[in-house]
Amino acid sequence: MPQPSTSRKTLGRPPRISREEVVETARRIVDAEGVDRLTMRRLATEIGSTPMALYHHVRNKEELLVLLLDDHAARTLHRPELPAQPRERIIVAAAAIHEALAACPWIVEVLTADDLMSTSALWFVEQIVDGLVECGLPPERAVHGYRTIWYYTAGEIVVRATAARRRADDDRATFRERVFADLDPDELPRLAQVADQWAPLTAEDTYVDGLRALVDGLLTTR
Amino acid sequence: MPQPSTSRKTLGRPPRISREEVVETARRIVDAEGVDRLTMRRLATEIGSTPMALYHHVRNKEELLVLLLDDHAARTLHRPELPAQPRERIIVAAAAIHEALAACPWIVEVLTADDLMSTSALWFVEQIVDGLVECGLPPERAVHGYRTIWYYTAGEIVVRATAARRRADDDRATFRERVFADLDPDELPRLAQVADQWAPLTAEDTYVDGLRALVDGLLTTR
DNA sequence: ACCTGAACACCGTTCAAGT
DNA sequence: ACCTGAACACCGTTCAAGT
């Protein structure tokens, strides 16, 4: 079984391609043509090698995608000036993660990973957990609070990205129109009332508003 | 181009399989072996037919998955007794959607659709939007509020489902351990502090707590 | 109208061998 | 140690033909 290249100084055939080159080329393909077009075969041709050569540098395609996410995070997740007020710090840190991830919608496939997406994001997690503690939450509730924020953030990105992808390649947008057209205003009066505003309202970016509401709620002692 | 079976009374060769049979058999496969094992070919064999016969009843695999989600929703989304208090009504309706979806983790592939997943869910959406309006939000903010709740709910399901899937078939759980073990307590003091509680805290189901916080926050006038 | 068989244009990954 | 060629075991979908 071949080992994903270690950094041991061993002798043998000198490597022709590196893990970095693999990830970099994969990123180029994904940026240019979308994550669907990234296949091991395609990547191999692009890199001037064979599919199997790749398996010496990454364990499998899944690992490649995770590496791609890490790479993106390391590249775009710049630490912002943090406000002194802890509540604002939570907002800024979460919004920074959100912004970096929203910039690459293909992330959806990988993102839905777990709570700690990437080591580059740890600092942001620290800021959020610390902010929550500073605002008076016990550490355990701060961790739960962080997860709640993460669910909201990941959900926003995943839902929006998938909706955008759908809109791009089919007519499911009309599905919603049909639903609203067929609405029985007696049974579903509120939905009928907002029916024609639904599309524009949904298009609005309300991530930060929702985030503020969520943080307020988390910090309210009930 | 074959049309997905209409209900017009036309003459011709009598159908051997129905759309219902297709969806039902697909559901059996998914329930028994997971969504990964649902392929058009497998489904065709199971149903005693050929792959192409399926394309007379569903447009493509994507549509089949949507039908599967609708079917699941119609089957499991039973309308609960609603509390009179609007705030509680929001919680109960959202928790009902969450519960139904969390029961079938394969939904992840489809779920990440958009805000209106299924006609069976409309009644719940109505309850949530109405509850928010009753609590004093103007209709536009109620729609935004509903979407925020939806992001949180979808995110919770997607993240947990994917994490579970990962845990099942590889050792990425150890990734987190490694991260926490290598943590520099000077740079990331809070994370270091909660390091050994992270796993159990993360395993806890705090969906409803988070939901309550979110709703509180949405209803707080800022 | 509905179904079939064969084919198209792909996948990710493994195995055994080469350098 | 690193890379290659060929193969395995699949996919979703289209096309042209049959009943």
Side-chain angles (χ1 to χ4, degrees), chain A residues 13 38-41 51-52 55 60-61:
Chain A
R13 188 166 169 173
L38 179 69
T39 69
M40 298 303 266
R41 287 154 195 269
M52 261 318 289
Y55 286 86
N60 51 30
K61 195 181 178 182

Side-chain angles (χ1 to χ4, degrees), chain B residues 13 38-41 51-52 55 60-61:
Chain B
R13 189 167 168 171
L38 178 68
T39 69
M40 298 304 266
R41 287 154 195 271
M52 261 317 290
Y55 286 86
N60 51 29
K61 194 180 178 181

Side-chain angles (χ1 to χ4, degrees), chain A residues 98-112:
Chain A
H98 177 260
E99 193 189 5
L101 294 177
C104 55
W106 57 268
I107 225 80
V108 174
E109 324 279 316
V110 199
L111 180 60
T112 49

